[in-house]
Amino acid sequence: MDHDILSQDRLADPYPYFAEMRATCPVHWNEQYRAWFVYRYDDVVAALRDPAFSSDRVRPVYNERLSGEQRQARKATYDVLQHWMVFLDQPDHTRIRKLVMPAFTPKAVASMRPQVEKVVEEAVRAITDRGDFDLVRDLAYPIPAVVIAELMGVPAQDRELFKQWSDEIVVLVFGAKSTPDRHERAQRALTELTEYLRSHISRLRKQPDDNLISRILESREQDPPLTDDEVVSTCALLIFGGHETTTNMIANGTRAFLQNPSQWELLKEDPAMARSAVEEVLRFDGPAKMAMRRVAKDVELRGSRMRAGDTVYLVQASANRDSAVFDNPDTFDITRTSNRHVGFGFGLHHCLGNFLARLEGHLAFEALATGCPDIEIADSAQQWHPTLISRGMTSFPVTNR
């Protein structure tokens, strides 16, 4: 059997392959990617709980797998990514997360609702009278980009810079194995992003404002406090993660609705169903296909012996279609009541911004069903990010009848 997960057919629709692997080889060594892939729900959740499956995967690769020449060439990338909390285990992960988490609690996000509603309304209003448009470029990206820019105290007009940088970083962070120059492209983008942030942070040190970066800078509760490099890297992660996931969720969800007209009709009849629709989108075709881990110590899973240092991909998108957990898993059903999906991960590294992403998603679906009820998928093909981890489109042409 061909196990090329990044083939064009599987980028567009990976789910038949995932179903086959759940049934026949739920823990699989993929020689092409030199990694293990875990496909069943219970195994994915167990691994996300188990510290033997470590998130600390940037440092070991940099220190142990690269030559001295390669380390020197990629040092700028490493200097940023080594501080991203998504690549850290305890205690460093919790030390950084604890400082940022107050901005993303349910209460904090609820207070942002009027601001997010305004952003969504403006984005939908801009496409209401247009015949053809790209749903990624014209709706799914602008909403979270403007929200995270405002949260960070960054001028909204700079969001296009974020998109350019993000599109380059995603090919490395999310595993675009087929992109040969991904390291060079990502390093240029990370360098430009961090230079931008250093300048922005320097201004906020002199003139603090009511935004997340100012609150991070003013915090004296951490012991030890974050270093300047940690502050810059954390802000880079929040900008990248703050829009990438939500963009994918809004675009994938709209596509699921338009491919399932009965569900689109349900939403149009009762836009309040957008809240439960977000959970079904996260399960049915969420913003991430899998999470990457490094085996910290030898471990056995379903009879397969994984060695310390091995790479493991925990395939959330497959787990979310596991018939052992979900009834009719290949059916998109926004009335689904039992929905224990892992679309935002699970455990220690559960997505920090999940409440904000949910708010942006349900407001976007609600506004789209009300403001653009007659949109259809255009004849032009969707274009997908060629990555292992991300499940997102670079282009999604639609027609507004």
Side-chain angles (χ1 to χ4, degrees):
M1 184 180 182
D2 172 25
H3 295 289
D4 183 5
I5 300 172
L6 294 180
S7 69
Q8 288 302 311
D9 287 348
R10 287 181 185 150
L11 284 175
D13 185 7
Y15 296 103
Y17 173 75
F18 292 164
E20 177 71 16
M21 298 307 291
R22 279 196 309 274
T24 63
C25 195
V27 178
H28 176 246
W29 172 259
N30 189 316
E31 187 62 31
Q32 179 172 344
Y33 299 104
R34 302 292 300 167
W36 295 97
F37 288 77
V38 179
Y39 290 99
R40 288 185 183 167
Y41 182 95
D42 288 348
D43 295 334
V44 168
V45 169
L48 288 170
R49 283 179 169 148
D50 189 344
F53 294 88
S54 171
S55 293
D56 181 13
R57 59 189 189 274
V58 170
R59 178 189 54 80
V61 168
Y62 183 81
N63 290 331
E64 300 166 15
R65 297 188 186 178
L66 302 184
S67 67
E69 184 179 348
Q70 287 173 319
R71 283 197 295 273
Q72 185 59 37
R74 299 179 191 174
K75 185 176 185 301
T77 299
Y78 173 72
D79 286 345
V80 177
L81 297 186
Q82 67 168 320
H83 299 302
W84 280 21
M85 70 182 86
V86 294
F87 298 139
L88 297 174
D89 292 331
Q90 298 276 44
D92 288 330
H93 172 270
T94 301
R95 180 173 63 90
I96 296 175
R97 186 179 177 110
K98 181 180 178 183
L99 188 60
V100 181
M101 192 162 51
F104 297 97
T105 62
K107 182 178 179 180
V109 170
S111 72
M112 295 174 61
R113 181 175 179 125
Q115 175 185 353
V116 177
E117 284 179 334
K118 182 183 177 197
V119 171
V120 170
E121 287 169 4
E122 290 176 354
V124 172
R125 190 182 307 120
I127 62 174
T128 299
D129 296 325
R130 295 176 59 178
D132 298 324
F133 59 91
D134 189 311
L135 194 124
V136 173
R137 182 192 64 218
D138 298 322
L139 183 75
Y141 177 77
I143 289 171
V146 172
V147 169
I148 197 65
E150 292 184 357
L151 181 63
M152 307 281 285
V154 171
Q157 62 266 25
D158 289 345
R159 64 180 183 268
E160 283 306 313
L161 289 173
F162 295 164
K163 179 166 177 54
Q164 294 167 22
W165 291 326
S166 175
D167 285 346
E168 298 299 327
I169 295 168
V170 73
V171 300
L172 176 65
V173 174
F174 287 158
K177 303 290 186 183
S178 59
T179 307
D181 61 344
R182 62 188 183 278
H183 294 286
E184 293 77 12
R185 289 167 53 184
Q187 183 151 292
R188 283 195 298 271
L190 278 169
T191 299
E192 292 174 7
L193 174 57
T194 54
E195 287 175 354
Y196 177 99
L197 286 171
R198 286 188 192 281
S199 175
H200 182 58
I201 289 168
S202 177
R203 290 195 299 271
L204 289 174
R205 283 189 191 280
K206 297 171 185 174
Q207 292 183 303
D209 202 351
D210 182 19
N211 58 61
L212 178 56
I213 294 180
S214 291
R215 290 195 287 275
I216 290 174
L217 294 173
E218 292 166 3
S219 175
R220 295 293 181 265
E221 297 177 5
Q222 288 287 71
D223 185 21
L226 295 186
T227 66
D228 285 353
D229 285 343
E230 286 175 328
V231 171
V232 171
S233 294
T234 298
C235 291
L237 170 61
L238 292 174
I239 286 172
F240 175 72
H243 72 259
E244 186 68 33
T245 296
T246 310
T247 294
N248 292 351
M249 181 181 67
I250 292 171
N252 293 2
T254 303
R255 178 174 177 267
F257 273 115
L258 300 184
Q259 289 182 327
N260 293 272
S262 64
Q263 300 301 298
W264 185 232
E265 289 301 319
L266 279 178
L267 183 66
K268 288 193 291 185
E269 290 168 6
D270 183 6
M273 292 190 72
R275 191 182 298 272
S276 65
V278 166
E279 302 308 314
E280 181 65 348
V281 167
L282 289 166
R283 185 202 67 82
F284 182 77
D285 197 14
K289 291 196 288 274
M290 54 192 82
M292 184 180 176
R293 295 291 186 266
R294 180 183 60 86
V295 179
K297 62 181 180 180
D298 290 3
V299 64
E300 186 171 303
L301 184 59
R302 290 194 183 274
S304 294
R305 188 73 173 174
M306 300 175 177
R307 304 291 181 182
D310 284 353
T311 297
V312 182
Y313 289 95
L314 307 174
V315 190
Q316 299 153 263
S318 174
N320 285 336
R321 298 280 191 106
D322 192 333
S323 61
V325 179
F326 303 98
D327 294 332
N328 302 313
D330 294 321
T331 299
F332 181 61
D333 178 9
I334 64 173
T335 67
R336 190 182 296 272
T337 54
S338 178
N339 200 343
R340 296 180 292 130
H341 65 77
V342 287
F344 279 139
F346 188 87
L348 182 68
H349 284 273
H350 186 254
C351 177
L352 175 69
N354 75 92
F355 296 112
L356 179 57
R358 283 179 162 101
L359 176 64
E360 292 171 311
H362 101 247
L363 290 177
F365 294 140
E366 186 177 276
L368 198 58
T370 303
C372 297
D374 299 319
I375 59 171
E376 299 175 358
I377 297 176
D379 292 336
S380 304
Q382 301 110 39
Q383 301 295 320
W384 295 87
H385 282 294
T387 63
L388 286 172
I389 294 174
S390 175
R391 171 69 177 162
M393 291 174 280
T394 60
S395 178
F396 180 23
V398 296
T399 297
N400 194 9
R401 298 294 181 188

